[in-house]
Amino acid sequence: MAGQGKGDRIEATLIPGDGIGPEIVDAARIVLDALGAPFAWDLRQAGLAAAREAGDPLPAATLESIRRTGLALKGPLTTPVGGGFRSVNVRLREAFGLYANLRPVRTIIPGQRYDHIDLVLVRENLEGLYVGFEHYVPVGDDPHAVAIASGVNTRAGAQRIIHYAFDYAVRHGRRKVTVVHKANVLKALTGVFLEAGRAIAKQYAGRVQMDERIVDACAMQLVLDPWQFDVIVTTNLFGDILSDEMAGLVGGLGLAPGANIGDKAAIFEAVHGSAPDIAGKGVANPVSLLLAAGLMLDHVGRSELGDRLRGAIDAAINRDQVRTRDMGGTATTREFAQAVARRV
Ligand code: NAI
Ligand code: MG
């Protein structure tokens, strides 16, 4: 099995990343050490730090490490907006064929605007507009007069991710999968996804219910009545947008984990980015990355440790009332990590 090392230690790649990355990765190490998590870390660089030191935001040594371990926990990586190098996150997903991006959101702090949220977003992770087939057409002296992007969705890719979503629903006792698309306008690009959804849903009839929504209506309904949803499966860009919206339902980006899963490797991370506005201040919320580590424990068959980790996060926040600033508290990243470590 991927990531299985000698004895009961499991070798895994650890990437601190950019911005708040090193702070929340430190926090995760404090908690995972206290938990007695079985990971033996192979520390590797990626992102801005790697670009500066190794001249490449995704060094060969980092790729080689993940190829060997098949397992990584990763801090966020900064991607330049507009020009500059291509997203390292996207390159990692492509390099290891990480076709499924699993993003569960669950109420952690009760009594907020939305209570009892328990939703799972399954995002197609390799296709759509994220393929980055883009170019400009210059007109006169304006080199950026026209911008053109092409998206690519394949039937095989759509079938694979929709199967993954329905299988996930079966394995986790979920009742419904909602297929989200924009096939009224992008008739080919997202029509192929909807077609696959309708076909595959039939194979799960009687076990998992299928529902379909147009993405804009889905975005609104998530705000009005999120409890009508259960598992949502959608294309790459829509999944990117809806997963941030869903993180908002449970109190923000500091509370939402993500898993990038392929047949040969899996990379676990927070849904949020490198948060340059708060980097270096020691105030970032490490819960997203901690929950991602929980998904990583589930993935290697150590759900009992994952459950203990989730229980300790809940106890630190709700019983000990230790919270970072975004959760309405005053704890630093490290104080919060220590509070969780005491509870594991
Ligand atoms: P962001 O997610 O980094 O930040 C958005 C807002 O949420 C900011 O106000 C930030 O302070 C807050 N926030 C995020 N995580 C938080 C945490 N753990 N605790 C407390 N507050 C938190 O999004 P932004 O600013 O659009 O992107 C910054 C950089 O991150 C960009 O270069 C982007 O490309 C990159 N990024 C990387 C991702 C990854 O590595 N998987 C995912 C998303 C963005
Ligand atoms: Mg995003």
Side-chain angles (χ1 to χ4, degrees):
M1 172 188 175
Q4 204 73 57
K6 280 194 217 103
D8 58 356
R9 301 296 279 174
I10 300 171
E11 219 201 337
T13 306
L14 183 66
I15 301 172
D18 298 317
I20 60 172
E23 299 162 55
I24 59 175
V25 164
D26 263 356
R29 290 187 78 159
I30 291 172
V31 173
L32 291 171
D33 284 350
L35 183 67
F39 303 118
W41 299 115
D42 183 26
L43 191 68
R44 298 289 166 177
Q45 296 299 333
L48 283 184
R52 234 176 281 123
E53 285 161 34
D56 183 350
L58 184 53
T62 302
L63 283 167
E64 195 40 56
S65 171
I66 300 172
R67 197 162 290 127
R68 194 180 69 248
T69 63
L71 200 60
L73 183 65
K74 184 184 85 52
L77 305 174
T78 297
T79 308
V81 175
F85 60 77
R86 195 157 173 253
S87 165
V88 173
N89 295 307
V90 172
R91 282 176 63 196
L92 278 171
R93 292 165 189 170
E94 289 173 357
F96 297 105
L98 309 177
Y99 63 90
N101 192 329
L102 184 70
R103 296 185 157 182
V105 292
R106 231 188 167 123
T107 297
I108 299 174
I109 306 173
Q112 293 196 307
R113 201 173 310 166
Y114 297 94
D115 231 337
H116 309 293
I117 297 290
D118 181 8
L119 300 171
V120 177
L121 183 104
V122 177
R123 163 183 173 187
E124 198 293 317
N125 218 16
L126 297 174
E127 303 193 331
L129 283 158
Y130 264 69
V131 295
F133 292 166
E134 294 191 292
H135 64 278
Y136 292 109
V137 179
V139 175
D141 58 2
D142 182 358
H144 290 181
V146 181
I148 299 177
S150 307
V152 175
N153 283 330
T154 63
R155 188 189 300 285
Q159 286 173 337
R160 181 162 67 169
I161 193 68
I162 290 162
H163 259 302
Y164 182 91
F166 276 90
D167 280 343
Y168 179 93
V170 169
R171 272 187 284 125
H172 293 83
R174 301 251 169 191
R175 64 184 200 292
K176 183 164 81 173
V177 173
T178 303
V179 177
V180 175
H181 62 91
K182 185 77 186 178
N184 51 330
V185 175
L186 300 169
K187 290 180 196 292
L189 187 67
T190 80
V192 78
F193 193 83
L194 177 59
E195 255 174 50
R198 286 177 178 167
I200 285 165
K202 293 199 181 103
Q203 302 170 22
Y204 294 84
R207 288 186 292 162
V208 182
Q209 205 186 318
M210 186 266 201
D211 191 13
E212 51 183 72
R213 292 299 156 87
I214 295 174
V215 63
D216 42 351
C218 179
M220 180 204 63
Q221 285 159 356
L222 274 168
V223 171
L224 286 181
D225 176 18
W227 302 277
Q228 69 183 288
F229 296 104
D230 192 354
V231 175
I232 291 175
V233 64
T234 191
T235 50
N236 208 339
L237 181 60
F238 297 161
D240 176 47
I241 299 166
L242 291 182
S243 59
D244 272 31
E245 183 185 5
M246 288 161 64
L249 297 175
V250 297
L253 285 169
L255 302 167
N260 299 279
I261 296 174
D263 293 330
K264 294 202 184 109
I267 300 181
F268 298 82
E269 63 181 350
V271 168
H272 62 71
S274 54
D277 53 333
I278 57 168
K281 297 184 179 158
V283 298
N285 185 351
V287 168
S288 300
L289 191 69
L290 289 174
L291 290 173
L295 293 175
M296 187 165 162
L297 287 163
D298 296 341
H299 180 79
V300 299
R302 301 298 303 273
S303 289
E304 82 287 358
L305 288 176
D307 289 341
R308 258 175 66 202
L309 174 56
R310 288 179 280 267
I313 293 169
D314 176 61
I317 294 173
N318 295 309
R319 273 185 267 158
D320 305 336
Q321 299 280 322
V322 180
R323 297 177 182 188
T324 50
R325 208 167 64 181
D326 59 306
M327 295 190 279
T330 57
T332 64
T333 308
R334 183 165 288 245
E335 284 162 357
F336 180 81
Q338 284 159 347
V340 178
R342 279 194 296 276
R343 283 288 188 171
V344 296

